Amino acid sequence: MDNGAILYTAYLNGDESALEQLVKLYYDGLVRFAYCFVKSAAVAEDVVADAYATLIVKRKRFFSRASFKTYLYKTVRNKCIDYLRFHKRFVPLDDLQNVLSTNDVDGAVEMNERLAFLYKCMQSLAPQYRYVLTLVYIESFSVDEASRIMGKTAKQTYNLLARAKQTLKKLLIDKGINYEDL
């Protein structure tokens, strides 16, 4: 059982502080992931809050071969898809800096600038490319976990990841950026 599953089980057994720990553990990553879908920090935060609300209201026991983190990301993915189906539009990129936050002040500015630039480049990629790159490289999911979240086979995810990296590399080269410095 992973740490998220342990915390969720503790919450279901009445430990309210376990829910707070779950939020602290996954919130930032979930917002970044949701942002890839909805392209608005405010909406991404709302979607993540809705996913946590689902955990609170439905109070389902977690029985899965996947990690709780994978389950939570899949829940957020589904909430994003529901949101997009309802609104049938994308919101423009406007406040990435609110999503990319760090406590290390010394290196934060340079790191945030590089991440913001890379993130902006990723936003011009096809949605599936953005999703797989975010899951594997930003959120550190394995390809198998990313496959479960995206609803694809591992082979499809490997192929998608390879094409996404190739497309991002070409985009960076076209902009005159040395992708190895990122």
Side-chain angles (χ1 to χ4, degrees):
M1 205 183 255
D2 64 286
N3 194 31
I6 292 168
L7 287 170
Y8 185 60
T9 301
Y11 167 70
L12 292 177
N13 291 329
D15 182 1
E16 295 294 323
S17 68
L19 180 64
E20 291 174 27
Q21 291 174 3
L22 267 176
V23 172
K24 286 179 185 174
L25 186 62
Y26 298 120
Y27 184 79
D28 289 340
L30 289 169
V31 170
R32 283 189 299 269
F33 179 63
Y35 184 88
C36 289
F37 285 86
V38 297
K39 295 187 177 182
S40 165
V43 173
E45 289 172 354
D46 289 345
V47 167
V48 171
D50 191 34
Y52 277 113
T54 299
L55 292 179
I56 293 167
V57 172
K58 292 198 176 177
R59 293 183 161 273
K60 290 183 183 178
R61 293 277 176 202
F62 175 71
F63 301 109
S64 178
R65 286 183 259 172
S67 71
F68 184 78
K69 182 178 179 183
T70 303
Y71 169 76
L72 197 52
Y73 272 75
K74 184 150 188 150
T75 300
V76 168
R77 174 187 171 265
N78 291 340
K79 296 285 183 187
C80 287
I81 290 170
D82 290 345
Y83 171 84
L84 292 173
R85 282 184 184 145
F86 182 76
H87 289 86
K88 295 194 191 269
R89 62 180 167 82
F90 285 101
V91 180
L93 175 69
D94 59 357
D95 51 352
L96 175 63
Q97 290 301 326
N98 293 334
V99 178
L100 297 172
S101 61
T102 182
N103 294 331
D104 177 19
V105 176
D106 295 335
V109 174
E110 183 180 330
M111 179 61 89
N112 273 349
E113 286 175 3
R114 286 193 315 219
L115 284 175
F117 177 76
L118 187 59
Y119 214 72
K120 284 180 184 179
C121 288
M122 285 175 57
Q123 296 309 310
S124 66
L125 298 176
Q128 293 292 325
Y129 290 173
R130 287 193 312 266
Y131 308 153
V132 74
L133 288 171
T134 299
L135 289 172
V136 173
Y137 291 109
I138 296 175
E139 299 304 326
S140 303
F141 279 103
S142 69
V143 172
D144 289 335
E145 291 172 322
S147 300
R148 285 189 204 106
I149 292 169
M150 295 179 70
K152 299 197 176 293
T153 66
K155 176 74 172 149
Q156 289 172 321
T157 304
Y158 274 113
N159 291 340
L160 193 60
L161 185 59
R163 288 192 306 269
K165 288 185 336 188
Q166 183 179 24
T167 304
L168 182 59
K169 179 180 173 181
K170 183 182 180 323
L171 179 67
L172 292 171
I173 289 170
D174 289 348
K175 290 186 179 226
I177 304 299
N178 183 358
Y179 64 91
E180 293 172 358
D181 290 341
L182 295 172

